[in-house]
Amino acid sequence: MATAIMLRTYGSPDVLVPETVEVGQPAANELRIRQTAIGVNFHDVYVRTGLYKTLALPGIPGIEGAGVVEQVGPGTEGFAPGDRVAYITRQYGAYASERLLPVHLAVKLPADVSEELAASNFLKALTAEVLVNRVHAVAAGQFVLVHAAAGGVGKLLVQWASRKGAIVIGTAGSAEKAAIAKAAGCAHAINYREEDFAARVREITNGQGVHVAYDAVGRDTFDGSLECLRARGHLVNYGQASGPIPPFDISRLMPRSNSLTRPSVFNYAAEPALYREMAANVFAAFSDGTLSRETGQAFALAAAADAHRALESRERATSIILKP
């Protein structure tokens, strides 16, 4: 038997209540995982509130975790009991002390990457890897705009893009968060509550604009992000923290031959070979210092409601993980 957070209805964090569940034996091409650290993401909040109705209820939320292989399904190759693994999944089920996991989702952890480090960062770091290497290949000397630069993905984007030699301009919602963005590698950090970020970007780039703008904020920053682009600049919208973007007239891209993309890391991770290549790049980035080795604030699995409250408060600058 295992402990899991079974979501039975949408609502406040109080709906996240632990229950005892039966896990069962792994089938062919499955692993039974004893989870030691579970990532908590805003995606989980959107599922809990019903904004995303992508988890059939009742169901166990959570899209990433790390732990130790306990059992290997019959005929399953490449893994053995005792292997440490991490994963991301769109099939949910991470908020549990043990789980069954399709073998293609599991990635072995190198010795220098702890389960806590992986659960705190794997999804976010994979997202950053996709954004700087695949959606737009960031190059030395390029101007890069990163919104929410002190946030989970934002900070990793800043670190990775600056290591590539880009001139990173970050935005944040307070002086404290602007300082975090600057420490992460931003050449310029803008407190968007006190400055017009689009005007400031134009000033920093001598009126040329940025080569790429990474925007996870959505509605509140979309028009300004588009204004920040130079000729042939690329706007990458990968989230909607402030709400969805209203219907968009594509002809607005024409005057400067701009491009717009809305990527999802899961579409890249769906290809097993590419998923493992991305994971290898992430682990190498932690090993060589490209990405900082920050682990998240830990809550007990049974205190998942408190973890969600902490995440929604937006007062912390670290990731959040659950510990079974």
Side-chain angles (χ1 to χ4, degrees):
M1 303 296 285
T3 300
I5 302 297
M6 186 69 71
L7 187 65
R8 296 188 175 278
T9 186
Y10 303 123
S12 72
D14 292 331
V15 302
L16 300 174
V17 178
E19 298 183 16
T20 299
V21 297
E22 180 68 44
V23 177
Q25 302 299 307
N29 295 315
E30 277 190 332
L31 306 172
R32 178 165 174 155
I33 306 294
R34 174 175 54 83
Q35 301 205 112
T36 56
I38 299 158
V40 178
N41 296 280
F42 271 103
H43 184 104
D44 307 343
V45 172
Y46 302 150
V47 168
R48 188 205 78 223
T49 61
L51 179 63
Y52 291 173
K53 291 183 170 62
T54 46
L55 171 65
L57 302 187
I60 300 171
I63 56 176
E64 71 173 325
V68 180
V69 175
E70 294 278 273
Q71 291 179 268
V72 176
T76 302
E77 299 180 348
F79 293 88
D83 285 344
R84 298 184 315 115
V85 298
Y87 68 89
I88 63 170
T89 177
R90 283 195 289 192
Q91 303 308 309
Y92 300 103
Y95 282 26
S97 59
E98 295 187 52
R99 70 166 302 165
L100 298 178
L101 186 73
V103 68
H104 70 273
L105 297 178
V107 177
K108 290 183 182 178
L109 292 175
D112 66 341
V113 175
S114 69
E115 291 118 83
E116 291 77 13
L117 178 63
S120 300
N121 294 283
F122 195 40
L123 176 60
K124 300 175 186 68
L126 285 171
T127 301
E129 198 276 347
V130 165
L131 293 177
V132 302
N133 290 331
R134 303 173 199 281
V135 176
H136 178 93
V138 172
Q142 289 187 341
F143 282 98
V144 172
L145 174 63
V146 177
H147 286 298
V153 177
K155 190 157 57 174
L156 298 177
L157 270 175
V158 170
Q159 292 172 355
W160 215 321
S162 61
R163 176 60 73 95
K164 283 173 165 281
I167 303 158
V168 183
I169 305 167
T171 73
S174 69
E176 292 77 14
K177 289 185 176 181
I180 292 171
K182 197 73 181 290
C186 284
H188 307 272
I190 301 168
N191 181 348
Y192 66 82
R193 297 188 190 280
E194 296 182 353
E195 292 187 86
D196 178 338
F197 74 83
R200 184 78 180 101
V201 166
R202 284 287 167 186
E203 179 184 339
I204 291 168
T205 61
N206 293 317
Q208 296 300 302
V210 298
H211 294 80
V212 60
Y214 292 112
D215 189 344
V217 178
R219 181 177 56 204
D220 290 352
T221 53
F222 181 80
D223 288 335
S225 294
L226 192 60
E227 185 181 338
C228 288
L229 298 180
R230 65 174 53 208
R232 303 186 304 280
H234 187 177
L235 173 52
V236 182
N237 170 254
Y238 68 98
Q240 52 182 42
S242 67
I245 297 163
F248 172 71
D249 180 359
I250 197 170
S251 66
R252 291 177 61 190
L253 301 174
M254 184 273 294
R256 293 197 298 274
S257 296
N258 294 142
S259 58
L260 169 67
T261 52
R262 180 60 169 92
S264 166
V265 65
F266 290 105
N267 288 322
Y268 291 82
E271 184 179 324
L274 181 56
Y275 177 42
R276 299 188 187 286
E277 177 185 315
M278 290 157 47
N281 288 342
V282 164
F283 298 146
F286 282 119
S287 295
D288 68 15
T290 295
L291 302 181
S292 60
R293 304 172 67 87
E294 296 180 10
T295 56
Q297 180 183 359
F299 290 79
L301 175 61
D306 292 333
H308 274 226
R309 291 187 189 97
L311 185 66
E312 290 179 282
S313 75
R314 300 180 184 269
E315 292 176 356
R316 81 300 123 237
T318 62
S319 299
I320 291 176
I321 61 173
L322 300 175
K323 295 282 290 180

